[in-house]
Amino acid sequence: MTTSFEQFVQEMKDFLEPDKVYIMDGSQEEANRLAAQAEKEVVDGRNVLTKLNGAQYPYSYWHRSNPNDVARTEHLTFVCTPSEEEAGPNNNWMNPDEAKNKMNSLMKGCMKGRTMYVIPFVMGTPQSKYAKNCVEVTDSVYVALSMRIMARTGKQALERIGSSSDFFRGIHSIGDVNPDRRFIMHFPQENLVMSFGSGYGGNALLGKKCYSLRIASYLGKQEGWLAEHMIVIGVQSPDGKITYFVAAFPSACGKTNLALLEPVFPGYKVWTLGDDIAWLNVGEDGQLYAINPEAGFFGVAPGTGENTNPVMMQTLKNDKFFPTLFTNTAVDNANNTPWWEGATSDVPQDLTDWQGQKYDASSGKPAAHPNSRFTVSAYNCPTLSPEYDNPKGVPISGIIFGGRRAVTIPLVYECKDWNSGVFMASIIGSETTAAAGGTQGVVRRDPMAMLPFCGYNMGQYFQHWLDMGKKIKKLPKVFMVNWFRKDENGKFMWPGFRDNSRIIKWMIDRIEEKTGAVESPIGLLPQDNAINLDGLNISKETVDKLLSVNKEDWKKEIALIEEFYSKFGDEIPKDLRAHLDSLKEKIES
Ligand code: OXD
Ligand code: MN
């Protein structure tokens, strides 16, 4: 694309034909003004925002979406590369010309009678050489307000863009919120996304999954870096030393809880840098560095409460940067505060449910949608790392991968080296959750937790991971975890949440070579008593079960991995096939 910012805005005016154009400046005054306007505006039969109790949740608003528009819609999401092979079997593919024609016919003149919000934004701190310039146009004030929270928007972005034509273009309209006319089309070669018919975060906040993962993963392959579905944390030990980790989990597997963890051990502290996306670059010193390109958290509300994530509850009640949005939660009418399952242990008496109806607890249905969300600025987080805006990012010592698995996968193990880490990450399976439309609880392969987000052929993506390993001087250790293993009675064996810090501490001990490990067919397991379980009521038998490698289960797993790999044919790197063969041999011996 060769057009400047001004030319792009003009092109979009001509194409989308809005009544008004508003260019966002990113100021707090603007946030107040747009929020007040959104309270009055009715879209798709609902007020866009309803003000909540500011004394308890400062500057907070409630948003309800169309019940047909509550999650990412993977079957309507396309990667439009010139050839189908380039998009790979992991993506829905459409020929770019066909996709453009389809979107042009849906979007031509679609903003008549509406305002077009133009959102200049930077993904990453504007001072960073790793940050990227972007512009989204949208006709949704909810999207505009959300983008203000999730990215660095307005003047700082416009200054960075200047007269350059090198910026991502996102074109969004909520259209008539009709799933039959809903498409999220990615054009990696053109640094462009066109999205129509949905206001849901992952489909409409185009800086998030669409740009920072799908398009950015493609750019990362060209430019020699990685865009990953990962949290970023720094774990401080009592001696003051901070060890930085990135961790990848499929949606709704407790990423946000881990990103804001309060360790159980005195003297330890987790510093938060990101809860969803990390961009990984090799720094000048040859180490792997992570930045979080986002500026806010778009977190799953249900399950977030004082017991499970007290730091997030404080974040939601902070008032440094506003507004904070609650989408498809319920509302407690006694005090006009947002509520969701798990927010408090008791269910309030008088709730309005996520669809705006009086809640009937005997219905057996939840009051908040299972994928209801909060959108809150990272700057409101009391554990935000002082390094958050460091343009270099933070040096990574450990990479954690996980999934949600009732069986087979141990609580934790360490991969022997980088390449076996890439192999193990490439075979992750996880039970599906409410973050994407479709059946829940089915195990699907989700390599690196990136299956829905990798913007090109995953076979080539695996090769890119292997190639990155050759560029990094001091390779981080790679760990696999599964907080969700169940016993014969279907009960979780590991308490999870704050107790996950026990596992992180073991990882730090491994990184600092303070503890040995036990060889197993899949990797290195903790030695007896190496995980500090002080104060935890858990039997040795349960711990042994949590850490067991059951060959029969793994045989079944290998069959599923082979089936998954076979979809990619020759694109699977030889090295990973060799790892699979060797695993098979060890499991069958
Ligand atoms: C998310 C997701 O919204 O992964 O973060 O679905
Ligand atoms: Mn995510």
Side-chain angles (χ1 to χ4, degrees), residues 72 208-209 213 229-230 249-252 255-256 275-277 294 298 373 435 449 453:
R72 284 183 290 104
K208 196 173 180 54
K209 305 297 189 183
L213 289 177
H229 191 204
M230 288 174 166
F249 296 85
S251 312
K255 278 216 321 276
T256 306
D275 83 322
D276 196 38
I277 298 176
E294 299 193 281
F298 177 64
R373 298 275 178 152
F453 307 121

Side-chain angles (χ1 to χ4, degrees), residues 428-498:
I428 294 175
S430 192
E431 294 158 21
T432 50
T433 65
T439 325
Q440 292 177 38
V442 185
V443 175
R444 74 167 180 184
R445 292 297 118 192
D446 194 352
M448 282 82 169
M450 276 289 277
L451 184 74
F453 307 121
C454 178
Y456 62 102
N457 190 310
M458 260 199 145
Q460 292 171 19
Y461 165 80
F462 297 151
Q463 185 60 51
H464 183 45
W465 261 89
L466 294 171
D467 294 343
M468 285 293 291
K470 294 185 204 124
K471 296 201 320 194
I472 304 166
K473 267 205 211 116
K474 191 164 176 275
L475 286 164
K477 277 191 183 290
V478 182
F479 301 96
M480 310 297 299
V481 299
N482 174 24
W483 316 133
F484 303 96
R485 203 164 182 178
K486 290 183 177 165
D487 65 15
E488 319 65 62
N489 303 317
K491 255 190 90 199
F492 288 117
M493 289 192 280
W494 179 247
F497 300 105
R498 289 189 69 196

